[in-house]
Amino acid sequence: MSHSSLSPLPSSDRADVAVRLRSALLGASFTADGLLDLLGAPAYAALARSETVPALRATRGDTPLETLVRLFLLQQPVAHARVAGVLPVEDALESGWLTPAGEDEVAATVDIRPYGGLDGEDWFIVSDLGCAVGGAGGIGSREEGVVLGVGGASTTLAGITVRTPVDSALDLGTGSGIQALHVAQHATRVTATDLNPRALHITALTLALSGAPAADLREGSLFEPVHADETYDLIVSNPPFVISPGARLTYRDGGMAGDDLCRTLVQEAGDRLNEGGYAQFLANWQHVEGEDWQDRLRSWVPRGCDAWIVQREVQDVTQYAELWLRDAGDHRSDPAEYQALYDAWLDEFEARKVKAVGFGWITLRRTSAAEPSITVEEWPHSVEQPLGETVRAHFDRVDYLRAHDDAGLLAGHFRLVTEIVQEQVGLPGAEDPEHVVLRQHRGMRRATKVDTVGAGFAGVCDGTLSAGRILDAIAQLVGEDPVLLRDRTPAQIRLLVEQGFLEPVG
């Protein structure tokens, strides 16, 4: 893979320079909060869309922060003397973070973007110049080895990852190191792999500049760099999942046909997980004519793993092709060339009988249970990130429900989860509602229909009485046979537990 036209990268061996640079950046408030204060929300949001004009207008002064924004985010040459007042400029030039430009000016060799961690940490994501915004942002780079920065996919995966402390974690296809940076906060040992050696170099820079421990960096595709006997407590991957004709861009489509890359990744992850360990991926999958997309995904789940798969979005093949042609900047090419590329995408989809493409999250958990649980669902509605704790709680509930039959449920004690509201649906003026909806305001923000018994049951669950005792009281109140009520209600209780409205107590 040739990277000849990409700019030389800073040295990853000069930890002392990275420490001094980090200190200078923080000293000038070159942080996510500092940028928001300086630029204002509209210009800050525009920068995330790769639009630079509002930020250029907001940085016409000569404060240290404006200097750094022009240098590292807007990639403008800045006077040497001006930069010397903010950064250790000679060290930065010598180790390759900066390069001489024009008369008495210096320019950045990489994009450095402030990034706030889930707990408010001040981190810095390094990426190739002009490529800070990863994924469908229209970076317009056709350079194969290019390394992108933070995109919506990166932050989504970081938000859904289970953050319990672990001994070992693997970031597969690390890119600029965003996931490795996150897992370094709660994993003793971090391994990060990538097919692109340039990405591994940039990951080392991201970790060093963010003050995180170094990771074990390994070159290779998928699980190739992982030794046969190595297993992990956590595997995360934001893979090059784009389904495209021919592998044109390594960062985007990993060189396998259709959704084979995502399928292979999921199928091979099972053997790499320790008992109770999680593997979490973002993925695309094909909706094929005459095939149920949920069945397709169930077939990917490796033996010995529970799975929770959430389809967040579906695009027809034309929307999908346009999105990724735009991402590569092909819409700015010669119209005939653009048309030929568009045609090639549609030919490929037609040959595979693909009518749409789904996007979403896949979480596996290694289990020794005799019957693993596989949940595949569509949830296009808004959620509240971060969801790592919601994901962990989902699998805890899977364990609970697997271990309790109906009699066990009735003997159990439950508590209504906080911030649940009840909505009654029916005709105006009617005495009784047609049905009752319970709605979550946190996590997945689910809504579920229940009957009046289910709503009454959920409303009094505070952990003190068993489910059976509550149902007996409701039976007495509504004049129903308690035995019949105990018979028909466990399915509704099971659903409320499964969807996170009720949590088992004790």
Side-chain angles (χ1 to χ4, degrees):
M1 186 186 297
S2 163
H3 305 308
S4 54
S5 61
L6 291 167
S7 65
L9 293 172
S11 164
S12 57
D13 300 330
R14 294 290 307 273
D16 57 321
V17 177
V19 168
R20 287 206 292 285
L21 265 181
R22 173 172 172 77
S23 175
L25 296 177
L26 292 174
S29 295
F30 188 64
T31 62
D33 288 344
L35 281 189
L36 191 55
D37 287 346
L38 171 71
L39 301 176
Y44 186 69
L47 206 51
R49 299 190 300 270
S50 298
E51 294 289 351
T52 55
V53 173
L56 281 165
R57 291 170 64 87
T59 53
R60 289 169 176 163
D62 57 4
T63 64
L65 182 52
E66 286 167 295
T67 300
L68 293 175
V69 171
R70 285 197 156 246
L71 193 60
F72 291 119
L73 294 188
L74 304 175
Q75 275 110 50
Q76 302 288 308
V78 180
H80 183 291
R82 190 170 151 189
V83 176
V86 190
L87 297 176
V89 70
E90 299 309 327
D91 284 341
L93 282 164
E94 187 198 336
S95 57
W97 290 93
L98 299 176
T99 187
E103 276 189 41
D104 296 328
E105 289 185 321
V106 296
T109 55
V110 286
D111 187 296
I112 298 176
R113 191 142 303 219
Y115 175 75
L118 295 173
D119 293 319
E121 301 94 342
D122 286 318
W123 292 335
F124 300 99
I125 309 299
V126 179
S127 63
D128 272 313
L129 294 171
C131 298
V133 183
I139 64 157
S141 175
R142 301 190 179 197
E143 192 63 59
E144 188 174 341
V146 76
V147 180
L148 302 190
V150 183
S154 323
T155 52
T156 295
L157 179 60
I160 67 170
T161 301
V162 176
R163 297 290 170 202
T164 46
V166 292
D167 179 44
S168 57
L170 170 66
D171 175 15
L172 198 146
T174 188
S176 53
I178 298 150
Q179 308 308 324
L181 181 54
H182 276 284
V183 297
Q185 310 309 302
H186 60 103
T188 309
R189 290 178 294 113
V190 178
T191 303
T193 69
D194 207 288
L195 183 60
N196 181 359
R198 188 175 179 88
L200 296 174
H201 188 130
I202 282 182
T203 290
L205 299 175
T206 289
L207 293 172
L209 200 57
S210 297
D216 175 1
L217 303 174
R218 302 184 196 175
E219 186 182 334
S221 176
L222 298 178
F223 288 101
E224 273 170 24
V226 178
H227 307 145
D229 58 345
E230 281 182 301
T231 53
Y232 298 88
D233 303 312
L234 175 66
I235 298 171
V236 290
S237 183
N238 175 17
F241 52 64
V242 179
I243 298 167
S244 63
R248 293 175 60 219
L249 298 165
T250 307
Y251 72 82
R252 191 184 77 173
D253 35 46
M256 293 168 100
D259 52 15
D260 286 356
L261 184 133
C262 291
R263 177 183 54 77
T264 305
L265 186 57
V266 173
Q267 286 178 338
E268 292 183 357
D271 291 337
R272 299 298 184 173
L273 283 176
N274 294 326
E275 178 67 21
Y278 290 94
Q280 298 189 263
F281 314 104
L282 297 185
N284 273 184
W285 42 80
Q286 297 171 160
H287 284 230
V288 179
E289 237 169 85
E291 177 184 291
D292 184 317
W293 68 270
Q294 297 189 332
D295 290 344
R296 181 183 193 85
L297 287 170
R298 279 192 188 90
S299 76
W300 291 8
V301 177
R303 290 176 61 169
C305 286
D306 292 324
W308 183 20
I309 301 174
V310 182
Q311 179 165 277
R312 295 288 289 152
E313 194 182 343
V314 183
Q315 290 189 317
D316 68 47
V317 290
T318 59
Q319 289 173 303
Y320 190 79
E322 288 160 23
L323 171 75
W324 292 107
L325 285 167
R326 198 167 287 274
D327 177 69
D330 292 321
H331 61 305
R332 292 193 285 270
S333 65
D334 168 51
E337 190 189 335
Y338 174 77
Q339 200 170 335
L341 286 166
Y342 199 147
D343 247 343
W345 281 67
L346 295 185
D347 283 346
E348 176 93 354
F349 284 133
E350 210 170 286
R352 296 178 165 275
K353 298 189 171 168
V354 175
K355 53 187 196 300
V357 177
F359 166 81
W361 319 325
I362 298 178
T363 300
L364 307 176
R365 184 189 59 166
R366 188 86 201 165
T367 180
S368 53
E371 280 191 44
S373 154
I374 300 176
T375 302
V376 184
E377 64 173 322
E378 186 154 21
W379 190 254
H381 312 292
S382 69
V383 297
E384 184 192 48
Q385 285 273 38
L387 279 165
E389 188 51 33
T390 301
V391 173
R392 191 195 59 75
H394 167 89
F395 288 97
D396 284 352
R397 294 194 301 272
V398 163
D399 286 342
Y400 179 87
L401 292 170
R402 198 158 38 201
H404 291 79
D405 58 12
D406 286 358
L409 276 188
L410 291 174
H413 292 238
F414 300 94
R415 184 189 299 119
L416 186 67
V417 173
T418 52
E419 295 198 40
I420 305 281
V421 297
Q422 175 178 308
E423 297 168 4
Q424 299 196 356
V425 180
L427 290 169
E431 204 166 304
D432 292 316
E434 283 169 40
H435 59 256
V436 176
V437 174
L438 299 183
R439 193 179 294 280
Q440 300 166 351
H441 279 269
R442 308 302 298 269
M444 292 293 284
R445 294 180 171 156
R446 295 188 187 280
T448 196
K449 260 198 266 190
V450 289
D451 60 22
T452 48
V453 169
F457 176 84
V460 295
C461 277
D462 62 3
T464 51
L465 293 175
S466 71
R469 294 277 304 279
I470 292 172
L471 287 181
D472 291 345
I474 290 174
Q476 203 174 355
L477 201 65
V478 298
E480 196 170 330
D481 182 338
V483 178
L484 289 176
L485 200 61
R486 276 173 172 257
D487 270 355
R488 72 175 172 86
T489 313
Q492 208 169 176
I493 298 173
R494 196 169 284 278
L495 181 72
L496 290 172
V497 172
E498 191 182 304
Q499 295 199 341
F501 289 90
L502 295 176
E503 56 187 9
V505 176

